[in-house]
Amino acid sequence: MKPYSLALGLSMAFGLAAGAQAQTTTLKIGYATSPESHYGVGSKVFCDEVEKGTQGRYKCQHFPNSALGGEREQIEAVQLGTQDLVNTSTGPVGNFVPEVKIVDIPFLFRDYDHARKVMDGPIGQDILAKFPSKGIVALAWTENGFRHMTNSKRDIVKPEDAKGLKMRTMENKVHMDGYRAFGILPTPMAFPELFGALQQGTVDGQENPIPVILAAKFSQVQKHLSLTGHVYSPALLLLSPKVWGKLSDADKKVFTEAARKAGAAQRKKVNEDEASGVATLRSQGMTVVENVDKPAFQAALKTAYEGYAKEFGADNIRKIQDVK
Ligand code: EAX
């Protein structure tokens, strides 16, 4: 081999190596809570699987703890393509994709098995298919959990106990309509503002799943926890269409499968937090009401459900309730 061809061969090899390196795309992923929380666990599984499945062509940079803003802002950024991914509750999602709102109805799901079955079945998968026409790609359902009420004033056993309490809610009309029927004064607010609002007493309470109450350290600013489980809070792994449009069919499969695994891991972490979280919150000084009068809360929703039936169709609500 002549010296110049060796040199050419080497520079081609280096050129290729440098080229391969330049092709690594770093995706920005954001979520509301810490890396150790359910959102962090699910997001990490997604990113690890994507990195592995694309041989390192794609990897993530994580922005936990609402570092990229509230969930509404992050969804907007994903739609615009200035953020690549968000692992978000459905809280503000119905404002972008109205078909999502039906799963935000209070007391719609009996338990975790029921909720997960609906999300993984045809109803949930049909909802995911509605996103692209709104400029968002929904890769999979993840999970936030059943929401419970906390407040600084008193134990809540029945709706009368919640009456008159000023409670932060998500920016979600379906929730707010239901909570008004409980007698609560709903105050919509982005999650990053919530801890301060509770600390300063701008609101008396809030409602969130155990994994969020733990991760956000609400026991530092809230005395009373009631296991109302008044609504299931689904979550979603959303991707910017700008990224999706550049993926090969094989990479699309990798992303979708990674998101499915992320959803499973996130649910597993929710299960773990549910199993140990109440004891943890008690040890942090919260009083916990376990025997909530759920039938009374459900009964309070009678008129709100008439509104839901009008908006979403009684049949569609029944279809979800009938999933066994
Ligand atoms: O998604 O805004 C909320 O209360 C959400 O449950 C929380 O940010 C996690």
Side-chain angles (χ1 to χ4, degrees), residues 16 18-19 25 39 46 75 87 89 91 108 114-115 163 224 236 282:
L16 277 177
T25 304
Y39 282 108
F46 173 78
I75 298 161
N87 195 343
S89 80
L108 178 65
H114 180 206
K163 201 170 174 187
H224 306 274
L236 289 149
R282 260 201 191 102

Side-chain angles (χ1 to χ4, degrees), residues 32 39 71 89 144 147 168 170 191 208-209 212:
Y39 282 108
E71 292 183 330
S89 80
N144 198 18
R147 303 178 77 90
R168 176 270 178 179
M170 297 201 283
F191 186 74
N208 251 300
V212 176

Side-chain angles (χ1 to χ4, degrees), residues 180-224:
R180 261 186 220 107
F182 299 150
I184 290 168
L185 307 174
T187 308
M189 189 186 290
F191 186 74
E193 294 164 41
L194 178 52
F195 190 93
L198 293 170
Q199 196 166 38
Q200 286 159 28
T202 317
V203 289
D204 302 314
Q206 63 88 44
E207 41 82 56
N208 251 300
I210 298 290
V212 176
I213 298 171
L214 287 167
K217 302 191 172 18
F218 286 151
S219 64
Q220 294 178 1
V221 285
Q222 296 277 271
K223 176 89 182 105
H224 306 274

Side-chain angles (χ1 to χ4, degrees), residues 9-315:
L10 277 176
S11 73
M12 275 175 66
F14 282 122
L16 277 177
Q21 199 135 45
Q23 277 172 18
T24 298
T25 304
T26 303
L27 303 170
K28 287 185 193 170
I29 182 166
Y31 38 92
T33 50
S34 70
E36 298 76 30
S37 70
H38 53 323
Y39 282 108
V41 168
S43 301
K44 183 170 187 315
V45 166
F46 173 78
C47 294
D48 287 352
E49 290 292 320
V50 162
E51 190 168 346
K52 205 166 71 188
T54 63
Q55 296 77 42
R57 283 178 288 108
Y58 286 92
K59 59 178 193 178
C60 295
Q61 186 181 4
H62 290 252
F63 294 85
N65 295 315
S66 308
L68 297 177
E71 292 183 330
R72 183 175 48 76
E73 290 170 277
Q74 293 194 60
I75 298 161
E76 270 163 12
V78 166
Q79 211 176 26
L80 284 169
T82 53
Q83 179 176 335
D84 302 302
L85 291 147
V86 62
N87 195 343
T88 177
S89 80
T90 54
V93 177
N95 301 324
F96 297 82
V97 182
E99 288 86 351
V100 173
K101 290 191 209 169
I102 191 167
V103 293
D104 291 324
I105 296 177
F107 287 109
L108 178 65
F109 297 104
R110 294 181 300 277
D111 51 27
Y112 277 104
D113 283 347
H114 180 206
R116 291 167 181 177
K117 203 160 180 195
V118 170
M119 297 302 156
D120 294 343
I123 297 171
Q125 299 307 303
D126 282 353
I127 297 174
L128 296 185
K130 305 293 182 199
F131 281 71
S133 70
K134 305 290 190 241
I136 305 169
V137 175
L139 292 173
W141 292 105
T142 58
E143 188 171 76
N144 198 18
F146 275 91
R147 303 178 77 90
H148 306 294
M149 295 176 195
T150 72
N151 78 93
S152 58
K153 303 278 187 204
R154 54 186 175 260
D155 283 346
I156 296 174
V157 180
K158 50 190 188 309
E160 291 86 88
D161 304 324
K163 201 170 174 187
L165 289 178
K166 198 167 170 192
M167 273 208 200
R168 176 270 178 179
T169 70
M170 297 201 283
E171 296 157 282
N172 185 304
K173 194 175 168 295
V174 176
H175 285 183
M176 290 169 69
D177 287 348
Y179 303 172
R180 261 186 220 107
F182 299 150
I184 290 168
L185 307 174
T187 308
M189 189 186 290
F191 186 74
E193 294 164 41
L194 178 52
F195 190 93
L198 293 170
Q199 196 166 38
Q200 286 159 28
T202 317
V203 289
D204 302 314
Q206 63 88 44
E207 41 82 56
N208 251 300
I210 298 290
V212 176
I213 298 171
L214 287 167
K217 302 191 172 18
F218 286 151
S219 64
Q220 294 178 1
V221 285
Q222 296 277 271
K223 176 89 182 105
H224 306 274
L225 166 63
S226 284
L227 302 182
T228 45
H230 53 278
V231 73
Y232 177 67
S233 188
L236 289 149
L237 199 52
L238 303 179
L239 174 72
S240 166
K242 273 200 187 161
V243 176
W244 185 251
K246 288 188 198 134
L247 298 180
S248 67
D249 286 350
D251 284 350
K252 281 181 179 165
K253 267 203 195 111
V254 169
F255 273 58
T256 311
E257 184 55 20
R260 212 189 48 76
K261 286 187 181 160
Q266 196 158 321
R267 286 173 180 177
K268 185 164 169 278
K269 174 63 176 154
V270 170
N271 288 348
E272 289 162 12
D273 284 355
E274 286 280 359
S276 63
V278 169
T280 305
L281 294 168
R282 260 201 191 102
S283 76
Q284 292 170 353
M286 294 189 97
T287 63
V288 184
V289 177
E290 300 200 44
N291 59 338
V292 171
D293 187 351
K294 287 198 187 188
F297 276 97
Q298 275 167 294
L301 286 174
K302 198 171 174 292
T303 314
Y305 257 78
E306 283 163 17
Y308 297 143
K310 223 176 258 163
E311 185 171 357
F312 306 116
D315 287 359

